[in-house]
Amino acid sequence: MHYISTRGNVGQIGFIDAFLMGLADDGGLLVPGEIPVISADKLKEWEKLSYQELLLEIFSYYTNDEIPQDDLKAMVKASYATFRDAEVTPVRKLNDRLYLLELFHGPTFAFKDIALQFMGQFYSYVSTRHSKTIHILGATSGDTGASAIEGVRGKEGIKICILHPHQKVSKVQELQMTTVQDENVLNLSVHGNFDDCQRIIKDLFADVEFKERNHLCAINSINFVRILAQTVYYFYAYFQVRQQAGDQEINFSVPTGNFGDIFAGYLAKRMGLPVNKLILATNENNILERFIKEGVYKPGQFRSTYSPSMDIQVASNFERYLYYILGENAEAVSSLMAQFKAAGEIVIAPELLSRVQAEFAAHGVEGQECLDTIKKYYASNSYLLDPHSACGVAAAEACGESGVTISLATAHPAKFDEAIRLCGIEQQYPEPIAQLFQKPQRQTVVDGSAEDITRELVQFYNRG
Ligand SMILES: *Cc1c(COP(=O)(O)O)cnc(C)c1O
């Protein structure tokens, strides 16, 4: 297995190099040279595996034999030992047509832990075994930052800098990032929104000379390893629900921001997992909903919502999907992305749109609809959804696809108490979250200029 860029100018690199490269050096995104297709017999065998065993099976198709099996096993074991549920990602039945896939049992109570606990172990491994200096740089709408920091805090040979939009993350998200006291962690609180943060780091990664000089590594979903780690729970949940739902069709509903998590679902589908529809759930930042419904990809006005981790207009991973719907044609991707840069929008042909709609449905959830969904399931099932998971559930209901739907519960409600209170619901914080309020915070507030941020970064990375 080798990796190539969606824009065609990075050729045939290995798994560890793809992991370290993050954003492809030609400005595109890395994808596997060929997606392995898993036979129905193999899938049948996989039904009985534990989460960790399943991960090892899936990864075996992608790692290019670059990691000795025992080393990979040890990393996987350590990654998921921090989870509060033995199943890692348990599935819960809400009613005959709707299941929830709980992805928030990791240390920071959001689904980002699933990939980032593993990536933390993997960076540490590469730093020790391959004597690499690892300087992680990432942008966060709230959850990735906390999770990535948790994955590498205090680790030898690794430094991490995270940009988050100043006062546009929830209180708990902010505390999770800024109460970490380890010297290898820098939090930059940027005046601006998530798209500004993401653009700044994408520009820094695109400057290949700067990137190499400063040993920059990516933890955002531009990193293919993160996507790959997230495919595992699609397989795992599918097998769990298949046992209960018999021969009914199975859909997934995915609260979406950067098109990362749902792209992992798309990858699972292309690997042969017989998923019916992928339901794309957004909030009022609904550029992706409009793409699925109308074939027009055009960022609009940024809106702050009850689900801040999905407050994103420019979805980084969208380019990976474009690559596949354009028939793995890197030249076509390059010219569309150039056109996007010039004109600010992408419009796809009607025959392509009908192919998109054969695989995806979409629904943009309004604020009140989100809160109403939280209240409804609290009343009917005594189940408290967080606002992101509520978007997934509301979209599953609105799209009404046949069969059963597995809706991804991407965060624990304690992370978003602002929205829960608006529903008139009082919740009790789990102990690790309650403790955060007692701890001192450390962060540097910066304006949105690239110069300011670059200066802070370089100072931090060069500090002894
Ligand atoms: C990051 C995040 C999302 C969106 O995931 P993408 O991979 O960006 O699509 C949804 N819900 C929560 C809670 C998140 O933290």
Side-chain angles (χ1 to χ4, degrees):
M1 171 66 83
H2 60 262
Y3 294 83
I4 53 174
S5 166
T6 49
R7 297 195 195 169
N9 294 314
V10 173
Q12 311 245 341
I13 61 172
F15 183 68
I16 291 179
D17 283 338
F19 174 55
L20 292 176
M21 188 177 283
L23 187 70
D25 284 349
D26 63 358
L29 292 168
L30 294 168
V31 287
E34 196 178 328
I35 295 178
V37 177
I38 313 300
S39 70
D41 286 348
K42 194 80 181 164
L43 287 175
K44 191 103 200 95
E45 284 173 30
W46 285 4
E47 283 177 8
K48 300 169 207 70
L49 301 183
S50 71
Y51 190 91
Q52 291 86 340
E53 290 166 338
L54 186 56
L55 187 152
L56 289 168
E57 284 290 326
I58 293 172
F59 269 56
S60 72
Y61 289 85
Y62 288 92
T63 53
N64 198 29
D65 289 333
E66 292 172 30
I67 312 167
Q69 190 64 8
D70 284 348
D71 293 352
L72 189 59
K73 251 191 185 152
M75 280 191 267
V76 170
K77 186 163 180 238
S79 303
Y80 299 103
T82 58
F83 278 61
R84 293 177 299 278
D85 193 295
E87 273 196 90
V88 185
T89 63
V91 175
R92 200 185 255 269
K93 182 173 180 176
L94 285 185
N95 59 49
D96 284 342
R97 300 205 49 205
L98 185 62
Y99 292 77
L100 268 189
L101 170 55
E102 292 184 341
L103 301 173
F104 51 73
H105 295 291
T108 72
F109 294 81
F111 87 93
K112 307 294 201 293
D113 287 331
I114 292 162
L116 291 171
Q117 282 289 303
F118 175 76
M119 285 171 74
Q121 294 290 333
F122 195 15
Y123 274 129
S124 189
Y125 176 83
V126 174
S127 156
T128 334
R129 292 296 172 91
H130 299 251
S131 313
K132 294 262 189 203
T133 307
I134 307 280
H135 289 164
I136 296 170
L137 176 61
T140 187
S141 53
D143 292 323
T144 290
S147 186
I149 289 169
E150 192 58 39
V152 300
R153 59 189 291 183
K155 285 205 162 102
E156 198 69 39
I158 302 181
K159 287 186 183 180
I160 179 166
C161 172
I162 296 292
L163 277 59
H164 71 264
H166 187 58
Q167 292 180 347
K168 287 195 173 67
V169 299
S170 80
K171 190 67 200 167
V172 170
Q173 288 179 319
E174 181 188 313
L175 289 171
Q176 282 181 329
M177 291 187 275
T178 60
T179 56
V180 174
Q181 301 299 327
D182 301 80
E183 286 300 322
N184 72 333
V185 175
L186 173 67
N187 280 292
L188 295 180
S189 182
V190 181
H191 280 285
N193 59 40
F194 172 76
D195 290 314
D196 298 319
C197 295
Q198 177 155 268
R199 181 177 30 76
I200 293 163
I201 72 147
K202 257 192 135 176
D203 287 348
L204 290 174
F205 275 103
D207 181 344
V208 175
E209 196 268 329
F210 180 86
K211 172 180 171 184
E212 284 178 0
R213 182 153 39 88
N214 290 287
H215 312 285
L216 298 188
C217 295
I219 39 84
N220 283 101
S221 50
I222 53 175
N223 198 312
F224 181 73
V225 174
R226 182 161 146 188
I227 302 290
L228 185 60
Q230 291 174 196
T231 58
V232 179
Y233 49 71
Y234 284 91
F235 285 89
Y236 188 75
Y238 183 95
F239 298 144
Q240 309 304 308
V241 171
R242 164 69 53 243
Q243 284 176 6
Q244 301 179 49
D247 287 338
Q248 296 184 77
E249 289 176 308
I250 296 179
N251 313 289
F252 281 94
S253 181
V254 188
T256 307
N258 234 336
F259 207 80
D261 202 4
I262 198 161
F263 184 80
Y266 177 72
L267 182 60
K269 196 168 189 307
R270 287 197 66 125
M271 286 174 71
L273 191 69
V275 174
N276 182 40
K277 277 272 171 76
L278 290 163
I279 299 167
L280 182 146
T282 69
N283 59 29
E284 287 102 326
N285 295 290
N286 66 342
I287 170 175
L288 291 167
E289 179 203 12
R290 280 179 282 128
F291 174 74
I292 303 290
K293 289 186 170 160
E294 298 157 22
V296 179
Y297 179 82
K298 183 175 187 221
Q301 190 63 38
F302 175 90
R303 302 263 301 272
S304 283
T305 72
Y306 301 132
S307 43
S309 301
M310 291 154 61
D311 288 348
I312 295 174
Q313 288 283 336
V314 182
S316 258
N317 265 285
F318 182 66
E319 181 169 340
R320 283 199 170 103
Y321 179 56
L322 266 186
Y323 176 77
Y324 289 104
I325 51 171
L326 293 172
E328 306 183 36
N329 179 342
E331 241 169 83
V333 174
S334 296
S335 77
L336 261 191
M337 292 312 290
Q339 190 187 316
F340 176 61
K341 205 164 180 186
E345 68 173 18
I346 290 174
V347 182
I348 60 164
E351 58 275 19
L352 274 188
L353 181 58
S354 55
R355 293 220 318 257
V356 171
Q357 291 174 345
E359 296 192 297
F360 287 85
H363 179 64
V365 181
E366 299 286 331
Q368 193 54 47
E369 190 183 357
C370 172
L371 299 185
D372 289 346
T373 306
I374 294 173
K375 286 189 233 173
K376 176 177 158 187
Y377 282 88
Y378 192 62
S380 68
N381 292 60
S382 303
Y383 192 97
L384 187 56
L385 293 163
D386 101 286
H388 305 78
S389 310
C391 288
V393 167
E397 288 182 346
C399 291
E401 295 298 331
S402 58
V404 301
T405 297
I406 304 172
S407 194
L408 273 55
T410 50
H412 189 287
K415 293 197 89 164
F416 303 98
D417 196 44
E418 292 86 344
I420 303 300
R421 276 167 188 274
L422 291 174
C423 298
I425 299 169
E426 224 177 286
Q427 62 174 325
Q428 231 177 351
Y429 285 148
E431 197 46 36
I433 290 186
Q435 282 169 5
L436 292 172
F437 290 85
Q438 316 303 326
K439 297 182 181 169
Q441 286 182 257
R442 270 177 63 189
Q443 61 183 321
T444 307
V445 181
V446 289
D447 66 31
S449 80
E451 298 75 46
D452 225 23
I453 285 160
T454 311
R455 192 185 57 248
E456 292 290 341
L457 258 183
V458 171
Q459 250 178 29
F460 169 64
Y461 289 147
N462 291 330
R463 206 153 56 211

